[in-house]
Amino acid sequence: MSNAQNTGNEARDMRPTRLRDALRQARIEAADRTGVVVELRDAEVARLEILNEALDPLFAEVPEQVDLFDRGVSQGETPRLWIDVVAHIVMGRDKRMYRFVQDTRFGRIVLAESHDVPVIVDAVTGYVARRMIEREHAMVAMPVAEPVVEKKPRRRGLGMFVFGFVLGAVALFGLALYASLSNM
């Protein structure tokens, strides 16, 4: 009788408290079976969707005015969970390891790599925080220094004007003289 009571208590303790947790557990089990039975690509997508759901609380905290992040699963030849334009998560060669990578101008770098979803969630959380700080620094308006205007003496400008006026007058006088001499 005590075995029956223990079994009943264990069943109650193992029962998920929320439907979302039960769905997550079912997806994990399906992804494990899919990795063996069905195409590996479907298992990758399923695992990336599980990770995407685990990231929901993080991205719920990101302010709406911060438009740096565009999260979503792309189902191309290599399925990826995009965090932003330059960072994404891809499955490792064994199709069970999450690899968080960032594309840089010097090539792709691995930011984190793990079989565990919480480890990758922590790495993405740190990445998101760093990107938000970079955005804040970029948005800070630096005070613009007033251009230094060197005051030029007005005499020089006036002197150039007088020189140009005299030169023009001499040129006109010379042209008039040439015209009068050529008509004769």
Side-chain angles (χ1 to χ4, degrees), residues 77-127:
E77 185 176 322
T78 304
R80 293 182 172 118
L81 171 59
W82 291 93
I83 303 302
D84 62 6
V85 177
V86 295
H88 63 273
I89 299 164
V90 66
M91 299 306 295
R93 290 185 182 176
D94 65 352
K95 308 302 181 203
R96 293 181 183 271
M97 180 176 290
Y98 296 101
R99 182 175 288 151
F100 182 33
V101 297
Q102 180 181 18
D103 294 326
T104 66
R105 66 181 115 161
F106 304 113
R108 185 171 287 172
I109 58 171
V110 177
L111 300 175
E113 197 171 42
S114 177
H115 291 281
D116 299 325
V117 171
V119 172
I120 299 299
V121 169
D122 289 341
V124 172
T125 302
Y127 174 78

Side-chain angles (χ1 to χ4, degrees), residues 66-83:
V66 176
D67 58 353
L68 292 174
F69 308 105
D70 191 20
R71 184 174 53 122
V73 177
S74 67
Q75 298 186 13
E77 185 176 322
T78 304
R80 293 182 172 118
L81 171 59
W82 291 93
I83 303 302

Side-chain angles (χ1 to χ4, degrees), residues 131-142:
R131 290 282 297 184
M132 288 177 67
I133 295 298
E134 287 174 8
R135 179 183 181 271
E136 286 176 10
H137 287 272
M139 299 293 286
V140 171
M142 298 301 285

Side-chain angles (χ1 to χ4, degrees), residues 25-26 33 37 55 63 83 98 101 111 118 124 133 150 163-164 178:
Q25 185 62 34
R33 284 191 304 270
V37 178
L55 290 171
I83 303 302
Y98 296 101
V101 297
L111 300 175
V124 172
I133 295 298
E150 189 176 313
F163 177 72
Y178 176 75

